[in-house]
Amino acid sequence: MVVFAGQGDARRSMELLWGPRVVAPRTGPGPKPGLSVEAIVAAAIDIADADGMASLSMRSVGERLGRTAMALYTYVPGKTELVDLMYDRTLGELPSSFSPSDGWRSAALSLADALWDLHLRHPWLLQVSPARPVLGPGEFHVQETLLSVLASTGLPLSRVRWVVSALFNVVRGSVQAAAESRQAARETGLSEEDWWYARSALLRELVPDLTARFPTVARLGSSVEASPSDEPYLEREARLSFEAGLELLLDGVEAAIVKASGPR
Amino acid sequence: MVVFAGQGDARRSMELLWGPRVVAPRTGPGPKPGLSVEAIVAAAIDIADADGMASLSMRSVGERLGRTAMALYTYVPGKTELVDLMYDRTLGELPSSFSPSDGWRSAALSLADALWDLHLRHPWLLQVSPARPVLGPGEFHVQETLLSVLASTGLPLSRVRWVVSALFNVVRGSVQAAAESRQAARETGLSEEDWWYARSALLRELVPDLTARFPTVARLGSSVEASPSDEPYLEREARLSFEAGLELLLDGVEAAIVKASGPR
DNA sequence: GTACATTACTTTAGGGTGTAAGGAGTCGGC
DNA sequence: GCCGACTCCTTACACCCTAAAGTAATGTAC
């Protein structure tokens, strides 16, 4: 299920997101803090990377740090805020140097590539809904990078905004397919090919009139099966879909540039 | 959180997806079934539509039907399979008549529109991950509709596949923003404008050097604030992003058509 | 008409989850 | 030396999904 974000105390959340990463040692009474927000977030990210978002619980994070679940509540208001922090810190990992010196198109391509890699390294990112903005430094960083690269097209910023959002969606959608292909293979133990084979046999048995009911899909399916490969199929497919969708989108951008500068 | 799907008994799941909607009355001993798979799925969809995926539990579905949670397990193997059924049945609602008689572009536009509407009527669809295919009739129906409309461009089917996936991703991404804007306003009670106002005030306070650190984002933000409207902002924004992204994509498709048929 | 197999449904129970509440324990400042 | 502040833990509750076992209802076969 998609994890929601950002409905707790706004000020507290924002302070956690933007506050200094290393807190100055407290000068008051009481025992020294044994943990820190950053340590908690890092542990949570480790867990999510290794075992997926389903394994992320306050208990599991606490255990990894040698504490109980409740110990975390001293540092973090709740799980949603923790997820926000994980999301934002991870987005902050995106490299920022995409010089448009070689033209906006190649910069956009390598930026999209970096985004793809980022999501594949942290597949749980895809289970955090991007719709409600977190408004943290990482998110701003990504937006700034995307916007500034696409702004070098010369298009008005208000249109660049749409381009950015479409590009982001295309990347997210296709990398999601790739990530879940991997995850599924690992979790079910079934290789993807075996899974697919079993399913299509079942389909043929239970729905004999499949090709008649969905002719175009069937046509596509047969053309696909004719060209097998050693690579995991769905993952390669996702990568191709990513590249093709991106090209399509950038062609659209190019057309928009021509249209905007053409009738001068 | 994203709901996963399809890891139970494959045969049972497929039979539920493709089997007849009205089961023939059983002939044999035992009490008469008081429920049916379809009734359960319909109740679950009602709950998800009204109160969101978070309120969907086996208990809540059972209660709505006047039964306990466990009663459902006679009809449905588990919650994941129920979600699969909900997903697939809902996708089946997509209208299918998009005649490309007025040209592929207008057909694609109205198809995308119908997809948008469908997702806005059933926002929980966006919380079901589309990566792992359910392989039910509804999903096939959507794929068939998308493919056949885009196939009328004349592009080779293998490329149409990419177009379909990119289009689907753009729709999903933008409608997700719109849906969660509504949902957030309803759940938090805070109007979106108020929410945004509070957040941006906080941002200015906690991050005084925001415009220096993220100049492009800041430039966009100021240009946006200059043109307010009575409509909910994020939702309108999402709709505009949808339309613009779609146009961009279709421009890309047009360019591909020209390129393919040009050098003849 | 009665025994039996079969099915629908409930109850109980076990192992998860997030987190509210209150009770230790620990340290600095007076 | 003690107080107050603070961190951390234990306990507890309210949910969640679902396995297992028990109960009631139904139809068939004798």
Side-chain angles (χ1 to χ4, degrees):
Chain A
M1 338 218 171
V2 170
V3 179
F4 283 88
Q7 50 228 18
D9 176 12
R11 161 160 251 112
R12 176 92 189 273
S13 302
M14 284 298 210
E15 278 170 355
L16 284 173
L17 282 165
W18 291 95
R21 302 282 167 104
V22 275
V23 246
R26 226 175 11 80
T27 119
K32 299 225 149 56
L35 298 178
S36 70
V37 175
E38 293 313 310
I40 291 173
V41 173
I45 291 177
D46 280 353
I47 291 176
D49 282 349
D51 304 326
M53 206 61 158
S55 300
L56 183 81
S57 69
M58 297 304 268
R59 280 173 178 73
S60 65
V61 175
E63 245 167 59
R64 168 173 282 248
L65 296 166
R67 302 293 143 86
T68 66
M70 287 312 290
L72 309 180
Y73 284 84
T74 311
Y75 302 89
V76 161
K79 194 187 182 186
T80 51
E81 286 80 3
L82 175 56
V83 172
D84 277 1
L85 284 167
M86 294 167 62
Y87 183 75
D88 201 73
R89 295 283 191 267
T90 306
L91 286 193
E93 283 180 16
L94 186 77
S96 54
S97 57
F98 296 94
S99 107
S101 61
D102 302 341
W104 63 268
R105 185 155 185 147
S106 81
L109 279 174
S110 55
L111 171 52
D113 235 26
L115 262 180
W116 169 281
D117 285 345
L118 182 72
H119 281 89
L120 215 50
R121 263 202 315 277
H122 306 288
W124 51 269
L125 281 181
L126 296 159
Q127 290 171 56
V128 181
S129 161
R132 198 78 187 288
V134 176
L135 297 186
E139 199 174 55
F140 270 85
H141 166 64
V142 168
Q143 286 299 315
E144 175 71 24
T145 308
L146 278 163
L147 279 172
S148 66
V149 164
L150 271 308
S152 65
T153 55
L155 286 175
L157 210 52
S158 58
R159 299 196 61 186
V160 168
R161 187 194 177 91
W162 315 135
V163 178
V164 163
S165 121
L167 189 143
F168 195 68
N169 286 334
V170 166
V171 173
R172 254 183 91 102
S174 50
V175 78
Q176 184 159 30
E180 283 184 27
S181 148
R182 288 192 181 182
Q183 184 180 346
R186 199 178 35 173
E187 280 184 11
T188 63
L190 223 62
S191 101
E192 179 188 282
E193 202 176 340
D194 294 345
W195 182 86
W196 182 255
Y197 186 77
R199 288 285 166 142
S200 59
L202 261 176
L203 261 184
R204 270 194 298 274
E205 178 193 332
L206 292 173
V207 196
D209 58 343
L210 194 74
T211 61
R213 286 171 66 181
F214 309 103
T216 321
V217 175
R219 202 143 55 86
L220 183 64
S222 62
S223 82
V224 153
E225 279 182 279
S227 61
S229 152
D230 281 348
E231 281 182 88
Y233 169 64
L234 277 181
E235 194 173 327
R236 200 169 59 105
E237 202 69 1
R239 177 71 198 186
L240 288 174
S241 146
F242 162 65
E243 288 165 0
L246 200 57
E247 294 290 342
L248 226 50
L249 203 64
L250 295 184
D251 284 349
V253 173
E254 221 147 68
I257 295 175
V258 171
K259 216 184 290 177
S261 70
R264 84 184 85 181
Chain B
M1 341 215 170
V2 170
V3 179
F4 282 90
Q7 51 228 18
D9 176 12
R11 161 160 250 112
R12 176 93 190 274
S13 301
M14 284 298 211
E15 278 169 356
L16 284 173
L17 282 165
W18 291 95
R21 304 278 167 109
V22 275
V23 247
R26 227 179 5 83
T27 136
K32 298 223 150 53
L35 297 178
S36 71
V37 175
E38 293 312 310
I40 291 172
V41 173
I45 291 178
D46 279 353
I47 291 175
D49 282 349
D51 305 326
M53 207 61 157
S55 301
L56 183 82
S57 69
M58 297 304 267
R59 266 198 246 302
S60 63
V61 175
E63 246 167 58
R64 169 174 281 250
L65 296 166
R67 303 292 142 91
T68 65
M70 288 310 291
L72 309 181
Y73 284 85
T74 312
Y75 301 90
V76 162
K79 195 188 181 185
T80 52
E81 286 81 2
L82 175 56
V83 172
D84 278 0
L85 285 167
M86 293 168 61
Y87 184 75
D88 201 73
R89 295 285 190 266
T90 306
L91 286 192
E93 281 180 17
L94 187 76
S96 54
S97 57
F98 296 94
S99 108
S101 62
D102 301 341
W104 62 268
R105 185 152 186 150
S106 81
L109 280 173
S110 55
L111 171 53
D113 235 25
L115 262 180
W116 169 282
D117 284 345
L118 182 73
H119 281 88
L120 216 50
R121 262 201 317 276
H122 306 288
W124 51 269
L125 281 180
L126 296 159
Q127 291 171 57
V128 181
S129 162
R132 197 77 187 290
V134 176
L135 296 185
E139 199 173 56
F140 270 84
H141 165 64
V142 168
Q143 286 299 314
E144 175 71 25
T145 308
L146 277 163
L147 280 172
S148 65
V149 163
L150 270 310
S152 65
T153 55
L155 287 174
L157 210 51
S158 58
R159 299 196 60 186
V160 168
R161 188 194 175 89
W162 315 136
V163 178
V164 163
S165 120
L167 189 142
F168 194 68
N169 287 334
V170 167
V171 173
R172 252 183 92 102
S174 50
V175 78
Q176 185 158 26
E180 284 183 28
S181 147
R182 288 191 182 184
Q183 184 179 344
R186 200 179 34 174
E187 279 184 11
T188 62
L190 222 64
S191 102
E192 181 188 281
E193 202 177 339
D194 296 345
W195 182 86
W196 182 255
Y197 185 77
R199 289 283 165 145
S200 59
L202 261 175
L203 260 183
R204 270 193 298 276
E205 179 193 332
L206 292 173
V207 197
D209 57 343
L210 194 74
T211 60
R213 287 171 65 182
F214 309 103
T216 321
V217 174
R219 203 143 53 86
L220 183 64
S222 62
S223 81
V224 153
E225 279 182 278
S227 62
S229 153
D230 281 349
E231 280 183 270
Y233 169 64
L234 277 180
E235 194 173 328
R236 201 170 59 103
E237 203 68 1
R239 177 71 197 187
L240 288 174
S241 146
F242 162 65
E243 288 165 1
L246 200 58
E247 294 291 341
L248 226 50
L249 204 65
L250 296 183
D251 284 348
V253 173
E254 220 147 68
I257 296 175
V258 170
K259 217 183 289 178
S261 71
R264 82 184 83 187

